[in-house]
Amino acid sequence: MNVLLLGSGGREHALAWALSASPLLTKLFCAPGNAGIADVAQCIPIDPTNQDSIIQFCRDERIQLVVIGPEAPLVAGLGDALGAAGIRYFGPTKSAARLEGSKGFTKDLCRTAGIPTAAYGRFMDPQAAKTYLAAQSLPIVVKADGLAAGKGVIIATTREEAEAAVDACLSGAFGSAGAEVVIEEFLEGEEASFFALCDGVHALPLVSAQDHKRVGDGDTGPNTGGMGAYSPAPIITPEMSDRVMREIIEPTIKEMAARGTPFKGVLFAGLMITSSGPKLIEYNVRFGDPETQVLMMRLKSDLLAALIATTDGVLSNFDLRWSDDAALTVVMAANGYPGTPQKGTEIKGLELAQATPNVEIFHAGTRRDGARLIADGGRVLNVTGRGKTIAEARDAAYAAIAKIDWPGGFYRKDIGWRALQRNET
Ligand code: AMP
């Protein structure tokens, strides 16, 4: 089977790495890919949002499955365009991708289906938003409704800050993503990432993961796309996983199907585990980055077969096998991230680092310049370790990092601290 994977990050390198091990695979292409993905797939310079070029490429190369990594092409309706052209794809349609594309849509769906989530209001008028705000307790969360590349969420600790966030959002700080604002109750608890493959009717949970969103050690500093992740997440016990499936994932799948917009693909629930149980913070309609890197380290089953079963609507007959090992990934980012990352610096020592036992290094933002490896993004490398415990996986990842010579980059030294602290007590 010829497969086309879309995207260029560490998530896509991890997916490409897993797909390339499939006995069902004939040839793997990736658009646009990166220097690491080029080791396991043929990279082609097509922009994942260019629907016509992708469809043409699929016809030319007889692609039998397109795996769509990032959210933007999904929310823009690439799935529908591929479907109309008779090309099989993994991911939701545009209507189903609203679960990520509009926070207000998802909040309303939660209300209809009785899914636990933070209390909220939706507003397009700043005055109405401020009237609502005046009656809420602090802190309070202000969100741009649409896709804002992880930047459209403000946790306000004062009323002035909240009002300023409303004004900024509704006056275009996040472009069209902020034409509507969602104001949400602040949830207290521990966050976890929950993934399930969904074929429109059935959902199959994956193993759990947790990530670190803040740039600095001790979970300090600005939010990022994610500075590291580990799996399993100790807070997602088997009982908690059953509860999340029953109270959050399954009612969502049922409601989407009832509306005539069944969800197919991977549903990624950002959860807050509160004292009264799991609550949905947000949905994403694609694999997480960097959570996918640790999930793929633990997946024993054939990923390609699982994606096909999802796409073909036969997940109820499918099961996934996972390694009992833990996995942990540390993101190495370019200096300046998450502000303006410095591009173009050289990375050395990667081959030596890659030879570390129980380590895979996924590239997130790299390119080759002859034999030299060059940083070409904010998040640049995902150094991923495996071990019997999270502590062992962490030690493997940091042992590999110690061999990487890259003055142009930095990383957090404490990935996994919450899980490790819990295991020690
Ligand atoms: P989101 O983009 O919706 O996942 O939000 C980004 C981050 O903001 C989340 O990972 C949480 O850490 C935080 N956050 C979002 N909504 C809430 C909420 N209602 N209560 C507490 N924290 C939140």
Side-chain angles (χ1 to χ4, degrees), residues 103 107 117-119 140-143 150-155 184-189 191 211 213-214 223 270-272 280-284:
K103 292 185 193 293
K107 297 298 285 188
T117 189
I140 186 97
V141 186
V142 178
K143 297 183 176 181
K151 295 201 175 82
V153 176
I154 296 106
I155 298 176
E184 255 181 45
E185 165 200 12
F186 177 79
L187 297 173
E188 305 245 18
E191 281 184 62
D211 76 340
K213 286 227 165 28
R214 303 297 193 99
N223 258 332
L271 302 175
M272 189 70 85
L280 181 72
I281 298 178
E282 63 155 4
Y283 273 133
N284 298 294

Side-chain angles (χ1 to χ4, degrees), residues 13 87 104 117 140 152 162 214 217 221 236 257 259 290 304 308 330 339 342 350 357 359-360 407:
H13 191 182
I87 299 162
T117 189
I140 186 97
R214 303 297 193 99
D217 284 358
I236 305 293
R259 293 181 181 194
L304 182 50
I308 292 168
V330 180
Q342 190 192 347
L350 212 61
V359 165
E360 286 298 327

Side-chain angles (χ1 to χ4, degrees), residues 237-302:
T237 58
E239 297 72 36
M240 184 61 76
S241 175
D242 288 348
R243 219 177 140 181
V244 172
M245 287 300 288
R246 210 173 45 243
E247 296 178 14
I248 297 177
I249 304 290
E250 282 163 3
T252 302
I253 296 305
K254 207 169 154 194
E255 178 64 23
M256 291 299 282
R259 293 181 181 194
T261 53
F263 184 90
K264 279 190 178 188
V266 61
L267 193 55
F268 162 8
L271 302 175
M272 189 70 85
I273 311 300
T274 71
S275 53
S276 61
K279 293 196 176 179
L280 181 72
I281 298 178
E282 63 155 4
Y283 273 133
N284 298 294
V285 297
R286 35 78 193 175
F287 283 103
D289 190 346
E291 291 95 332
T292 304
Q293 289 80 317
V294 288
L295 296 187
M296 292 306 116
M297 283 294 262
R298 298 188 59 208
L299 181 65
K300 283 173 144 179
S301 302
D302 179 351

Side-chain angles (χ1 to χ4, degrees), residues 4 6-7 30-33 43-50 53-54 56-58:
L4 171 62
L6 300 180
C30 186
C43 294
I44 46 163
I46 299 179
D47 178 346
T49 58
N50 186 337
S53 298
I54 289 166
Q56 192 55 51
F57 181 84
C58 290

